[in-house]
Amino acid sequence: MSLASKRSNISEVSSQAQVPARAFPAIISQNLGHTTLKLSLSIDEFLFYTRIYNMSYVQERGMPKNSDAQRNLNFKHMQSLAKYITVGLVSSVVARMEARDQRIPEDVQELRSYLGGSPYSSVQPIVANIRDCQRGGEDLIIEPLDSVVKSLPGIPEESVASIFASRPINIAWFRPEDHHKLSVIDGQHRRYAFQTVRDWIELLLLHGRYPKGGVYYPPIGDRDKQLSPDILQLWENVKTIAFTESYVNVECHLGLDIDQERQLFSDLNSKGRKVELATTLKYDSSDALNVFINEMIEQKLFSFAILEKDDADWHNESGGLLRKDIHLITSYLALGKNAKQVRPYEIEPRASLIKKFWAAVQKLDDFGKAGAKSKTVAAQSVVLKGLARLIFELEYGKPSTKSEKGAARLWSALDSGEIDFRHTNPLWASLMQSPFDRESDFPGITNYV
């Protein structure tokens, strides 16, 4: 046969070519009697091998109607997760530097202060499904892990460890020969958050500046600066940890149809009990405002009872405040709003003001005593929120509201007891009056109400 007779055009060759399949270590397990695979994927692998079958994805690709088994993306929630992931990664890099006794550059310390942090960060496992396989994965190619490891020179034998358990665990090497994609059932916001962080870091390293509208944007004055070599190296290290050293655990169900996917999505997102806010505030160390309030509690700077549940009966209540109300009042005082995530640099300059406010409030007549709500309006959180916001506007507000003289006057009135917070003071009922009666009883009040 001549050499010419063996020749083929490129379309013939490419139509027969097989893209090498990627193999993953997997634990074969059972979940309520259903066979599942426990996978551990790098974040890059997770992004490549997963799909989100929400309505937007299905419509954009012209898939059959009712192919979706997922709610649409909530951008705000995704952004908050992206910020959480970024803060966790930066904290990990800095912790490694400290463990190795490396010098922490000043601008890295400043960045860490702006971002905040927590004692520990982690991303929970993902739940997924392989749609295009038989029920239970009977048609998937599975090979024993030990035989495959020996045939793969890139996998050192010492990286495979024995697991001691009460019963045998089947460990296999899962080969998605047909390039199966994993349909994410629980974890779409985590997936898009990983994508957002990766794209943001790539842009940052490409241009040497923080991209606008990303997961982090520095305070005014530092936004257009070229990043220092130390900061760029930090983000290089973050990229390394995020996309070559970090892994996502995935519980993969096998061959579920769309109705089963939808049911599992519904169950996973509705059967769990949401953590009560009081418990979250007690445990959360990632929010600088929350940390500061917990420190005040430990230092016994609150003389009143701190409650997890409200006292419904005003005549038999303890005089305490809900923990969540303390947080909200303090947020209005320090930041002028209900802030969802507060960084250390936002709280540290206003620590003395926060302590001054709560010390002044606790000196008010009847505040913090049993039955306080029936004796003083100052025991109601709505009044304290208003008072806190007023102080914020006088101390830190816009030029039209900021007034050093006004702030001093208010602090003096609180300290001297000049303001009458008793229910008998007709001022507190003025909001319930008609505009005519209110202006008649309190001339000039319409300038403020």
Side-chain angles (χ1 to χ4, degrees), residues 24 28 68 111 131 160 167 188 220 257 337 346 407:
F24 299 99
I28 304 172
D68 62 293
L111 172 65
R131 287 188 171 190
V160 181
R167 60 183 177 81
Q188 77 155 323
I220 295 174
D257 60 31
K337 61 183 179 180
E346 296 176 294

Side-chain angles (χ1 to χ4, degrees), residues 91-107:
S91 295
S92 294
V93 171
V94 174
R96 288 188 181 192
M97 295 173 70
E98 291 173 340
R100 296 167 182 169
D101 292 326
Q102 295 178 347
R103 181 184 70 86
I104 310 297
E106 185 177 335
D107 48 2

Side-chain angles (χ1 to χ4, degrees), residues 158-196:
E158 59 269 21
S159 69
V160 181
S162 300
I163 301 175
F164 294 92
S166 59
R167 60 183 177 81
I169 294 179
N170 296 314
I171 301 180
W173 198 269
F174 164 52
R175 291 182 177 277
E177 298 292 341
D178 297 321
H179 303 281
H180 295 291
K181 302 299 182 183
L182 309 183
S183 171
V184 174
I185 297 174
D186 184 56
Q188 77 155 323
H189 289 90
R190 277 162 275 165
R191 185 193 184 280
Y192 282 120
F194 286 134
Q195 183 79 57
T196 297

Side-chain angles (χ1 to χ4, degrees), residues 81-91 115 197 200 215 235 238:
L81 281 175
K83 290 178 182 179
Y84 170 81
I85 290 167
T86 303
V87 171
L89 289 169
V90 170
S91 295
L115 286 174
V197 172
W200 181 78
V215 296
W235 289 114
V238 166

Side-chain angles (χ1 to χ4, degrees), residues 19 89 95 105 163 173 204 247 269 282 289 356 378:
V19 179
L89 289 169
I163 301 175
W173 198 269
L204 183 157
Y247 287 77
N269 287 278
K282 181 179 179 181
L289 176 57
K356 180 180 179 180

Side-chain angles (χ1 to χ4, degrees), residues 14 59 62 68 111 124 161 181 207 209 216 261 279 284 291 317 351:
S14 62
Q59 290 177 343
D68 62 293
L111 172 65
Q124 68 193 75
K181 302 299 182 183
H207 299 292
R209 290 182 172 87
Y216 167 70
E261 261 195 39
T279 303
D284 184 16
V291 169
E317 54 96 11

Side-chain angles (χ1 to χ4, degrees), residues 91-150:
S91 295
S92 294
V93 171
V94 174
R96 288 188 181 192
M97 295 173 70
E98 291 173 340
R100 296 167 182 169
D101 292 326
Q102 295 178 347
R103 181 184 70 86
I104 310 297
E106 185 177 335
D107 48 2
V108 172
Q109 294 179 8
E110 186 178 66
L111 172 65
R112 193 182 187 187
S113 175
Y114 282 139
L115 286 174
S118 65
Y120 193 81
S121 300
S122 179
V123 176
Q124 68 193 75
I126 306 293
V127 179
N129 172 46
I130 298 179
R131 287 188 171 190
D132 54 351
C133 73
Q134 294 179 10
R135 187 75 178 90
E138 294 180 3
D139 58 333
L140 297 178
I141 299 174
I142 302 287
E143 299 181 27
L145 181 61
D146 54 355
S147 63
V148 177
V149 169
K150 291 176 183 178

